[in-house]
């Protein structure tokens, strides 16, 4: 399905919940800046806002993980999307520093 959208600057959209999923950060013009995967979308969104990675008027698009995915399958998907879109704020291919779950 279509991703949910949230703009933390304006509060428009639906805030990401504390659930696993994939997210993308876009700038005000819609260009994709970053792709990530997390086990807690709410926490990770807050971390990006605090770090300054999310630009003013930028949006976060996210999709909740379905019950069949694992951290390993989500990371594989994250890596394929990073390779496909090559967002400038992803410094690597994704999944670094995190032990694979299942």
């Amino acid at each position: 399905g279509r991703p949910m959208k949230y703009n933390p600057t304006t509060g428009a959209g639906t805030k990401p919940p504390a659930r696993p999923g994939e997210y993308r950060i876009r700038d005000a013009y819609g260009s994709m800046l970053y792709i990530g995967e997390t086990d807690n979308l709410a926490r990770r969104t807050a971390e990006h806002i605090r770090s300054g990675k999310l630009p003013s008027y930028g949006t976060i698009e996210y999709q909740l993980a379905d019950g069949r995915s694992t951290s390993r399958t989500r990371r594989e998907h994250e890596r394929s999307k990073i390779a496909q879109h090559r967002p400038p704020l992803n410094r690597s291919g994704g999944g670094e520093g995190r032990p694979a779950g299942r």
Side-chain angles (χ1 to χ4, degrees), residues 13-42:
T14 305
K15 235 179 170 176
R19 293 188 43 206
E22 181 181 279
Y23 63 97
R24 299 168 183 202
I25 297 174
R26 292 188 182 267
D27 66 16
Y29 304 102
S31 296
M32 193 175 313
L33 300 175
Y34 187 84
I35 297 173
E37 178 277 329
T38 182
D39 62 349
N40 186 323
L41 287 161

Side-chain angles (χ1 to χ4, degrees), residues 23-97:
Y23 63 97
R24 299 168 183 202
I25 297 174
R26 292 188 182 267
D27 66 16
Y29 304 102
S31 296
M32 193 175 313
L33 300 175
Y34 187 84
I35 297 173
E37 178 277 329
T38 182
D39 62 349
N40 186 323
L41 287 161
R43 176 187 46 78
R44 192 68 179 119
T45 299
E47 289 170 355
H48 281 302
I49 293 167
R50 279 193 304 272
S51 75
K53 190 173 273 187
L54 183 65
S56 294
Y57 302 106
T59 59
I60 294 176
E61 295 178 350
Y62 64 92
Q63 286 190 299
L64 298 176
D66 65 20
R68 300 173 309 216
S69 72
T70 64
S71 66
R72 183 172 302 229
T73 59
R74 289 192 306 271
R75 286 193 195 129
E76 288 170 4
H77 188 258
E78 173 192 27
R79 281 191 288 274
S80 73
K81 290 301 178 183
I82 290 169
Q84 177 184 354
H85 296 287
R86 304 184 77 66
L89 296 181
N90 282 97
R91 283 177 258 170
S92 59
E96 286 69 36

